[in-house]
Amino acid sequence: NAGVMQNPRHLVRRRGQEARLRCSPMKGHSHVYWYRQLPEEGLKFMVYLQKENIIDESGMPKERFSAEFPKEGPSILRIQQVVRGDSAAYFCASSPSLGGQETQYFGPGTRLLVL
Amino acid sequence: RKEVEQDPGPFNVPEGATVAFNCTYSNSASQSFFWYRQDCRKEPKLLMSVYSSGNEDGRFTAQLNRASQYISLLIRDSKLSDSATYLCVVNRESNSGYALNFGKGTSLLVTP
């Protein structure tokens, strides 16, 4: 059973470009979480999605950032008009569609560098 | 006050030593507590959940004090492979799932 997959693993963008980060959850998992880790900082929650629904986006910046988890295909975190402060590691985690406390399994992350 | 606070370290200890990490959290309504381990430039990996009664997994012991909002991790007989950053993690206050709040982590270096 493959783990959480993220691509690309590394992404370089110039200021003003768009960044698209993809996350494929573990097989059978329908809950996806995105976290951001700035240099020398802890992971910060951004958004929680289930298939075709954004459940909680309270941690996501109001502008330039969006996320989706379509019925088919990976979850996408999209950053428009990137700025240098967006440079960070972006981790996706997934958990199964069970009730109660669920362990989150993390992908290897996408490291975004904005020049 | 930060939601989850940890001593950043670094903790430099010799092999075989016992080392303890502490963590405090601000939300008294938190229900789920974890320790994760993160190696350099890697993803966080679950080390262990933390239960009110305390729990042990091999050389690792976790304790929770809800009254003090305090969590600890004890590592006995440290190995070189224990060198990593240890993240204290608490569930976010939310009615929408189990998103997590992470501390900044405590860095451990075990030396020969």
Side-chain angles (χ1 to χ4, degrees):
Chain A
N1 187 10
V4 179
M5 301 180 70
Q6 290 188 246
N7 68 81
R9 297 288 302 276
H10 299 274
L11 183 61
V12 180
R13 285 287 179 266
R14 296 191 181 278
R15 281 178 295 171
Q17 292 184 319
E18 178 180 287
R20 279 184 179 240
L21 288 60
R22 296 175 187 78
C23 169
S24 296
M26 287 179 71
K27 187 176 181 180
H29 286 194
S30 60
H31 299 225
V32 167
Y33 303 81
W34 284 94
Y35 296 85
R36 176 167 69 174
Q37 188 172 29
L38 294 168
E40 308 302 323
E41 294 290 323
L43 277 79
K44 299 294 184 190
F45 166 74
M46 298 182 75
V47 61
Y48 163 42
L49 309 104
Q50 294 179 23
K51 284 282 188 182
E52 300 183 277
N53 284 304
I54 296 174
I55 307 302
D56 181 356
E57 57 182 347
S58 59
M60 200 149 71
K62 295 287 187 287
E63 297 178 352
R64 303 188 297 108
F65 286 73
S66 62
E68 62 177 6
F69 189 14
K71 187 177 180 181
E72 301 291 337
S75 176
I76 306 285
L77 179 67
R78 182 184 179 204
I79 312 172
Q80 295 178 289
Q81 299 175 333
V82 296
V83 300
R84 287 201 174 134
D86 297 332
S87 296
Y90 292 82
F91 292 99
C92 164
S94 73
S95 63
S97 56
L98 300 172
Q101 184 174 327
E102 305 165 358
T103 298
Q104 294 184 22
Y105 298 86
F106 281 80
T110 293
R111 280 163 180 76
L112 172 65
L113 175 63
V114 180
L115 302 177
Chain B
R1 183 181 174 188
K2 291 184 180 178
E3 289 152 338
V4 182
E5 293 205 60
Q6 296 181 246
D7 180 345
F11 284 63
N12 293 338
V13 302
E15 267 187 294
T18 295
V19 60
F21 304 138
N22 303 318
C23 165
T24 57
Y25 60 95
S26 61
N27 182 8
S28 60
S30 296
Q31 295 295 321
S32 303
F33 310 91
F34 311 91
W35 283 99
Y36 275 72
R37 168 190 171 135
Q38 187 174 29
D39 292 279
C40 186
R41 301 187 66 75
K42 301 281 189 178
E43 72 273 25
K45 293 186 177 177
L46 179 66
L47 180 65
M48 59 196 303
S49 300
V50 186
Y51 303 114
S52 296
S53 54
N55 49 298
E56 188 174 306
D57 183 1
R59 297 181 294 107
F60 299 84
T61 301
Q63 297 280 351
L64 169 65
N65 184 324
R66 286 185 184 269
S68 304
Q69 295 176 211
Y70 171 93
I71 307 165
S72 66
L73 176 69
L74 184 76
I75 306 176
R76 292 182 300 278
D77 189 22
S78 300
K79 312 291 185 191
L80 295 177
S81 58
D82 293 334
S83 298
T85 297
Y86 290 83
L87 309 175
C88 179
V89 183
V90 177
N91 71 294
R92 282 170 64 84
E93 180 180 0
S94 171
N95 61 358
S96 62
Y98 297 92
L100 303 173
N101 278 333
F102 284 78
K104 288 180 67 171
T106 299
S107 176
L108 172 66
L109 177 63
V110 181
T111 55

